[in-house]
Amino acid sequence: MKKSLVIVESPAKAKTISRILGRDYQVKASVGHVRDLPRNRLGVNVRKNFEPQYEILREKEPIVAELREAALEADRVYLAPDPDREGEAIAWHLSELLDLPKNKLHRIEFNEITKEAIQAALKSPRQIDKRLVDAQQARRVLDRLVGYKISPLLWRKVNGRSAGRVQSVAVRLICEREVDVVAFNPVEYWSVKATLHKSKSKKTFIASLVEWKGKRVIAASDKSGPKTVVIENSKMANEVVKAVKDGEFKVSSVKEKASTRKPQAPFITSTMQREAANHLGYPVKKTMQVAQTLYEGIELGAEGPTGLITYMRTDSTRVATQAQDEARVFIKQKYGKQYLPEAAPVYVSRNKGVQDAHEAIRPTYPDKTPERLKSYLSADQFKLYKLIWERFIASQMASAELLTRTVEVKSGEAIFRASATSRKFAGFLEVYDKVQQKGEGDSDSDDDVNDEAVHLPEVEKGEDLKSEEIKPDQHFTQPPPRFSEASLVRTLEELGIGRPSTYAATVATIIDRKYVERDKKTLMPTKLGQAVNGLLVEHFGDVVDVGFTADMEAKLDRIEDDKVDWHGMLKEFYKPFGETLKRAEENMNKVLILSDQFCPNCGQPMAIRSSRFGQFLGCAGYPECKTKIALTKDGKPVPEDRPSEEKCNTCASPMLIRYGRYGDYLACSTEECKEQRPILKTTGVDCPRDDCSGVIVEKKSRHGKIFFGCSAYSQNKCTSAYWYPPLLTGGPKDGNRCPKCERLLIYKKLKRGDQIQCSGQECDFSQLATGQETYA
């Protein structure tokens, strides 16, 4: 009996869906895009209406062959890549390559990987949406034209590695912010605070000077006016202190104000990235990688692989009615009826160009609390899932009710003020009480109430208070903050540049290209980034103009709505772009980026240069002086060879520690001998094979994952290898061999408790670790 074939992008997603659909369906993965523009040429026929010249990716040829064979044997083929432009394009490329009759080929989409969502999708298949495909094609072709035409010019003139429609604007924003930071001149100002208490109480509270001689006291950075005053220096501050120090302090005003604080909308891509950066310290790229695993499915014991969140690339705050109903049932049972608003809330985005094609990011099952799933999740998965779950549940809860008490105290010509906010009803704050970080958080609410209430005693108007201390404090205005990954994403979103699917890639690219570097949590332009940006702004002002780029994004969005022809849009862009490119080729001067190093041979400065292997230092006197200094991945000169305690296996000469493309390695000190080998971190455990004299060492797979294998692999191809560290001591009879089969024991760190297990796949020996064991 023929099966139906379902094609998705990732193997993890395929595994989860296969479990849901059962034996009647075969689920296979394309492993991302299978066809794209060629890597070594433009791949766009400009003269033939910008026709893309797609090629099957070389590494995907076996996958395409496998999918073609499976499609011919299936009774129906369902294309189920992600529900966005990129996913629609993958589905279209697959349909072109599979070349099946229309009645056999179907496009399905789902926003979450759950049994209900997938079964509903299978009941309502559709044809491929060519508007979505055209929107993606236009973006791909436009990005290729900009990158492929400008990048070679940058390479020749400044050793820049690439330009891009979105990445170059992001670099410009960072460079311009750096100019503002460097040019900033701090301005001095002072504050005055009074520590006060009631006459019969020793409990103090602090009140700040808010009015002096009939004028409102402001900071130097605030907007001034005829009725405002800045305490500019210590002389003015001491004048205030002297005037009130021995004076009376009388309560002049007591006010109470009730207010509500509304919950924030559930996450969209950018807000999730910002909150994960602010509260978990995750880079944007890491957030998306972890979210992808939660979306595609996590093994939940007997339940099998289960998708835990909805699709994570979205700009919509919309929530499905069924999901809201399920959340309301959970909230009522868990927290009580009073925590439910009368009606399920509706959130409207303030950003222009919202596609609203998908729901907000939310848990697929509200009753699967983070604590309930903790044993199945890695530390990173748990933290991000908890953030998503709490944000969504809170978004469906009642507003918090707050009470703010404000007390003003008069002393001569000075008025001091203290405020404290308390909660009358916690509402959504019972679940999600994240303090927003100004300039980086995504406060969707205008309410800026500080819940860290200071102690404020009950006082009455006219009551006399005692002063314990009058303290002046010096301050300086601060420069605009440098962008963090989170605040850069927010700015790009607010300006209408890029889309949810591009934010992480944009940040990763500008760092990888060495245009920007991380300094703790902030992004700073490198010398190369500043030089490239300067040339682009001078010669390609429109391409890196914020307004122009945002307008281009809007046009690309209108292609999806079938309001703009994508070929016409590209033609309209390319003609002036081609003229600009020609002028730049004629007028752009070569720029040398000088480092702090000097040539050891001629004394001239060393310039930062680039090659396909990365950056290096080259003498500014080239071609007369051809001195080069290699750089490490951190941009520092490569260290000289260092002695080691190892001996060469070929000639017994001492081995040297040498730096290469992938870090330190061992090389023979004899020029005639070419032996090289990696630096191995030994575990102290001998290889368990009787015919092998090697030891078990720590290694890395080609994907960067640590495993443990025999050091003699290169000599006799010993294949002893383990994903977990071998036990040293503390096993049965204080050894490290299995009591059943004598194979090596390994140590597994598991959430349900650390275990000692036999390394043999067919042996079932396992016992809980006692904490007395030692392992590699």
Side-chain angles (χ1 to χ4, degrees):
M1 184 177 175
K2 286 190 173 183
K3 294 183 178 182
S4 294
L5 174 66
V6 178
I7 303 176
V8 297
E9 292 108 320
S10 78
K13 191 174 174 182
K15 183 179 179 182
T16 305
I17 294 173
S18 181
R19 180 193 65 81
I20 292 171
L21 293 178
R23 297 179 180 178
D24 294 336
Y25 292 84
Q26 185 180 24
V27 186
K28 288 187 172 291
S30 68
V31 195
H33 279 275
V34 293
R35 198 169 72 154
D36 198 4
L37 298 174
R39 290 171 178 169
N40 56 355
R41 57 190 175 87
L42 180 63
V44 177
N45 192 332
V46 175
R47 294 179 180 178
K48 198 174 179 182
N49 212 14
F50 299 93
E51 180 182 306
Q53 298 167 331
Y54 295 115
E55 293 180 352
I56 297 175
L57 300 172
R58 184 177 299 175
E59 65 272 18
K60 297 298 178 67
E61 288 175 357
I63 294 174
V64 171
E66 182 185 334
L67 293 176
R68 279 174 172 160
E69 184 179 346
L72 289 173
E73 296 176 356
D75 60 345
R76 288 188 175 190
V77 177
Y78 294 98
L79 303 176
D82 288 338
D84 56 12
R85 293 188 192 107
E86 213 67 31
E88 202 72 16
I90 291 173
W92 176 72
H93 284 298
L94 286 168
S95 72
E96 293 284 299
L97 293 172
L98 297 178
D99 193 25
L100 297 172
K102 283 190 175 181
N103 61 353
K104 185 176 178 178
L105 197 65
H106 307 278
R107 168 73 165 123
I108 60 172
E109 64 176 358
F110 33 82
N111 194 50
E112 58 187 59
I113 304 178
T114 61
K115 184 176 182 179
E116 298 79 10
I118 292 171
Q119 288 180 342
L122 289 169
K123 289 177 183 177
S124 55
R126 61 171 175 80
Q127 295 299 310
I128 290 171
D129 189 337
K130 199 60 170 60
R131 296 175 305 170
L132 281 174
V133 175
D134 287 346
Q136 191 276 343
Q137 286 194 102
R139 270 183 165 76
R140 187 72 186 94
V141 171
L142 182 61
D143 289 343
R144 173 56 67 98
L145 291 172
V146 172
Y148 221 83
K149 293 292 185 179
I150 298 180
S151 296
L153 187 61
L154 291 178
W155 187 272
R156 294 196 302 271
K157 301 296 185 180
V158 74
N159 280 293
R161 296 179 66 186
S162 73
R165 184 175 57 86
V166 174
Q167 76 176 51
S168 296
V169 177
V171 173
R172 181 177 186 174
L173 290 171
I174 293 168
C175 287
E176 290 180 346
R177 178 62 60 86
E178 189 66 19
V179 170
D180 292 340
V181 171
V182 172
F184 183 80
N185 289 316
V187 177
E188 180 186 12
Y189 70 99
W190 289 68
S191 65
V192 180
K193 293 183 178 180
T195 303
L196 308 170
H197 61 86
K198 298 180 71 167
S199 58
K200 294 183 180 180
S201 172
K202 293 298 181 183
K203 284 188 176 181
T204 62
F205 66 96
I206 296 174
S208 300
L209 179 71
V210 294
E211 191 174 311
W212 174 241
K213 295 184 177 180
K215 292 185 176 182
R216 183 167 59 90
V217 175
I218 60 171
S221 55
D222 294 339
K223 190 174 181 180
S224 61
K227 295 185 178 180
T228 62
V229 63
V230 176
I231 309 299
E232 296 177 344
N233 48 48
S234 59
K235 182 179 178 181
M236 289 183 67
N238 289 331
E239 181 187 343
V240 176
V241 173
K242 185 178 179 180
V244 303
K245 189 174 183 180
D246 298 320
E248 293 182 350
F249 286 82
K250 190 182 290 289
V251 177
S252 57
S253 170
V254 178
K255 294 179 181 178
E256 288 189 350
K257 182 183 177 182
S259 62
T260 58
R261 183 175 173 184
K262 295 180 180 179
Q264 295 169 306
F267 284 137
I268 60 176
T269 303
S270 59
T271 55
M272 177 183 70
Q273 290 169 344
R274 293 199 297 266
E275 288 290 85
N278 293 339
H279 301 297
L280 305 179
Y282 289 177
V284 168
K285 184 178 180 180
K286 178 177 179 178
T287 298
M288 296 308 290
Q289 288 173 336
V290 176
Q292 185 91 26
T293 64
L294 294 173
Y295 166 68
E296 291 183 341
I298 301 293
E299 286 282 353
L300 300 183
E303 289 186 55
T306 304
L308 296 180
I309 65 169
T310 52
Y311 190 53
M312 62 283 158
R313 295 184 182 93
T314 177
D315 56 7
S316 173
T317 54
R318 179 173 54 82
V319 178
T321 303
Q322 181 181 344
Q324 287 186 313
D325 291 344
E326 291 174 359
R328 289 174 69 83
V329 169
F330 175 81
I331 292 165
K332 185 178 179 180
Q333 291 175 346
K334 174 77 174 176
Y335 302 103
K337 187 177 180 180
Q338 68 273 28
Y339 284 87
L340 281 176
E342 289 186 11
V346 176
Y347 295 95
V348 179
S349 176
R350 289 186 278 180
N351 293 325
K352 296 179 181 178
V354 172
Q355 298 299 295
D356 203 41
H358 320 298
E359 285 189 67
I361 302 168
R362 60 169 176 81
T364 52
Y365 301 100
D367 61 337
K368 291 189 187 299
T369 63
E371 291 301 327
R372 180 178 159 190
L373 300 180
K374 190 171 185 178
S375 61
Y376 302 106
L377 303 176
S378 69
D380 289 335
Q381 288 170 339
F382 173 74
K383 289 175 185 176
L384 187 60
Y385 180 73
K386 185 172 186 285
L387 200 67
I388 294 168
W389 185 89
E390 289 177 347
R391 174 79 166 229
F392 172 68
I393 294 297
S395 75
Q396 304 303 305
M397 295 175 73
S399 298
E401 296 176 10
L402 309 170
L403 182 67
T404 301
R405 294 177 58 241
T406 302
V407 173
E408 290 188 349
V409 181
K410 187 173 176 60
S411 179
E413 295 183 286
I415 294 179
F416 294 82
R417 181 184 298 153
S419 295
T421 299
S422 58
R423 297 177 187 172
K424 292 171 62 180
F425 172 62
F428 77 94
L429 294 174
E430 189 75 27
V431 174
Y432 192 83
D433 189 11
K434 300 284 186 286
V435 177
Q436 296 298 315
Q437 297 185 21
K438 296 208 171 194
E440 295 188 2
D442 65 296
S443 181
D444 296 324
S445 167
D446 292 328
D447 199 344
D448 193 27
V449 176
N450 178 11
D451 289 317
E452 296 179 358
V454 296
H455 167 71
L456 197 56
E458 294 290 337
V459 294
E460 296 180 356
K461 185 177 180 179
E463 185 175 347
D464 290 326
L465 301 177
K466 301 291 185 182
S467 68
E468 188 171 290
E469 182 184 24
I470 310 296
K471 184 182 178 184
D473 284 315
Q474 185 185 37
H475 308 276
F476 291 92
T477 53
Q478 297 298 307
R482 290 185 173 94
F483 285 110
S484 65
E485 288 191 18
S487 59
L488 178 63
V489 166
R490 176 172 191 164
T491 301
L492 290 172
E493 182 187 41
E494 289 174 344
L495 294 172
I497 296 170
R499 287 295 176 260
S501 58
T502 65
Y503 297 138
T506 297
V507 173
T509 298
I510 62 178
I511 293 173
D512 180 61
R513 295 289 184 264
K514 307 294 185 185
Y515 294 160
V516 171
E517 61 186 5
R518 290 191 185 95
D519 180 22
K520 296 179 181 176
K521 290 188 177 182
T522 63
L523 300 175
M524 294 180 63
T526 61
K527 289 182 178 180
L528 176 62
Q530 290 171 321
V532 168
N533 179 65
L535 289 178
L536 289 177
V537 170
E538 181 181 354
H539 297 282
F540 295 94
D542 278 351
V543 176
V544 294
D545 178 73
V546 170
F548 176 84
T549 307
D551 182 59
M552 189 62 67
E553 287 285 358
K555 287 180 179 177
L556 289 165
D557 288 342
R558 288 200 289 273
I559 293 170
E560 187 175 324
D561 298 330
D562 212 15
K563 293 178 181 178
V564 173
D565 173 63
W566 72 281
H567 297 98
M569 188 274 290
L570 290 172
K571 187 176 181 181
E572 181 185 336
F573 164 80
Y574 192 73
K575 186 177 180 181
F577 173 70
E579 294 170 354
T580 301
L581 187 68
K582 186 177 180 181
R583 286 194 299 272
E585 288 174 339
E586 294 171 353
N587 301 322
M588 187 182 287
N589 295 318
K590 194 164 185 175
V591 176
L592 270 184
I593 306 166
L594 300 180
S595 72
D596 299 329
Q597 304 284 327
F598 291 91
C599 179
N601 293 326
C602 70
Q604 292 193 65
M606 298 293 283
I608 300 171
R609 303 182 187 276
S610 298
S611 73
R612 62 193 180 97
F613 300 114
Q615 290 187 333
F616 66 95
L617 296 181
C619 182
Y622 179 86
E624 287 76 16
C625 180
K626 295 181 172 62
T627 303
K628 295 180 182 178
I629 298 176
L631 295 177
T632 66
K633 293 177 182 179
D634 298 327
K636 297 176 182 178
V638 167
E640 295 182 358
D641 292 351
R642 290 143 286 162
S644 77
E645 297 177 359
E646 299 284 330
K647 297 292 183 182
C648 178
N649 294 322
T650 304
C651 66
S653 299
M655 298 290 282
L656 298 174
I657 300 173
R658 185 170 292 165
Y659 187 88
R661 283 182 64 189
Y662 303 105
D664 288 340
Y665 67 98
L666 291 173
C668 184
S669 57
T670 306
E671 287 187 17
E672 293 76 17
C673 183
K674 303 298 183 184
E675 180 171 328
Q676 298 177 356
R677 62 176 186 259
I679 296 175
L680 302 176
K681 182 180 176 182
T682 183
T683 63
V685 176
D686 292 334
C687 178
R689 279 177 48 172
D690 294 334
D691 58 345
C692 180
S693 59
V695 294
I696 303 301
V697 296
E698 184 179 300
K699 296 185 176 184
K700 273 190 180 180
S701 72
R702 57 179 179 158
H703 300 297
K705 188 174 181 180
I706 291 176
F707 71 100
F708 300 85
C710 182
S711 62
Y713 174 77
S714 58
Q715 280 80 46
N716 58 23
K717 299 297 180 184
C718 178
T719 56
S720 296
Y722 316 94
W723 284 117
Y724 295 92
L727 197 70
L728 295 175
T729 60
K733 300 179 183 179
D734 200 34
N736 64 354
R737 294 300 183 104
C738 175
K740 286 189 175 183
C741 66
E742 285 296 310
R743 286 188 176 89
L744 192 64
L745 292 172
I746 56 176
Y747 193 95
K748 281 188 174 184
K749 284 189 172 184
L750 303 172
K751 292 186 180 298
R752 59 179 178 270
D754 293 357
Q755 287 190 336
I756 298 169
Q757 291 184 5
C758 179
S759 59
Q761 291 184 349
E762 64 276 9
C763 182
D764 62 354
F765 175 77
S766 176
Q767 70 179 35
L768 284 174
T770 63
Q772 303 301 313
E773 302 85 1
T774 58
Y775 58 93

